[in-house]
Amino acid sequence: MFRAHLVDSVQKNLLRRKTHKAVIPGGCTSLLQPQDVSLNKPFKTKTRALWTEWMISGPKEYTAGGNQRRASYQQVCEWTISAWDSISKETVIKSFKKCGISNAIDGSEDDALYDDLINSSDNTTTTTAEVEPEEDSELDDMYDDMPLSDLQM
């Protein structure tokens, strides 16, 4: 429901390009957009790991004021490529299926929508000692909406 997509000029442009829009109601992005469902977290985690490694051991250049210079655009592009390449084709496919976007028309793949629920109910006897905490989960939440450029000090 991004307001800019509802403006007449955008609507006309979409029609001219023979593009159909699907309005995703507010609060449903995390359920209906493949990027948000399965891809953003591993992508951001990998990018953050590459940035952290660069901060720890990368070349250090400083401004006249003594601040460390940001990573070059080329470096950021390399991180982006590396992070995207680290996501398997199967993960991308599963993400679309989980959102119900590319499932078989005959209904044979509809259970993909509920894989998380099915898998979590199968593990009801798991003890807390067997469950591994999510890596950097507090940091992930804190930086989720922050542009990558803001993370590079």
Side-chain angles (χ1 to χ4, degrees):
M1 304 241 354
F2 184 57
R3 298 285 177 228
H5 294 159
L6 305 176
V7 176
D8 283 341
S9 61
V10 172
Q11 299 283 350
K12 289 175 185 175
N13 195 347
L14 291 172
L15 281 173
R16 192 171 48 250
R17 295 171 186 264
K18 298 180 182 173
T19 301
H20 300 280
K21 70 176 186 302
V23 176
I24 296 176
C28 294
T29 298
S30 64
L31 303 170
L32 301 174
Q33 291 195 15
Q35 194 75 21
D36 288 319
V37 169
S38 302
L39 306 175
N40 281 345
K41 176 136 176 65
F43 178 83
K44 289 178 180 183
T45 298
K46 176 67 174 183
T47 304
R48 190 173 298 115
L50 292 167
W51 174 78
T52 301
E53 179 61 30
W54 177 82
M55 286 295 289
I56 292 169
S57 61
K60 305 290 188 266
E61 295 179 22
Y62 296 90
T63 64
N67 298 319
Q68 184 176 343
R69 290 194 188 276
R70 64 173 173 75
S72 68
Y73 289 121
Q74 179 179 343
Q75 183 67 65
V76 174
C77 289
E78 289 172 11
W79 293 337
T80 303
I81 291 167
S82 179
W84 181 248
D85 285 346
S86 72
I87 299 173
S88 71
K89 179 180 177 181
E90 291 76 25
T91 299
V92 175
I93 292 168
K94 283 182 184 179
S95 185
F96 276 80
K97 290 190 183 300
K98 184 164 178 52
C99 292
I101 294 174
S102 62
N103 303 42
I105 293 175
D106 66 4
S108 62
E109 297 175 321
D110 286 355
D111 60 336
L113 300 168
Y114 308 103
D115 278 348
D116 287 350
L117 295 173
I118 293 167
N119 291 335
S120 66
S121 66
D122 289 347
N123 297 327
T124 53
T125 58
T126 305
T127 65
T128 54
E130 295 170 315
V131 176
E132 293 183 29
E134 280 192 19
E135 187 177 313
D136 299 330
S137 59
E138 287 181 29
L139 289 177
D140 289 343
D141 294 340
M142 184 168 66
Y143 292 121
D144 269 348
D145 296 326
M146 186 179 294
L148 186 60
S149 60
D150 290 351
L151 293 174
Q152 299 168 15
M153 298 170 198

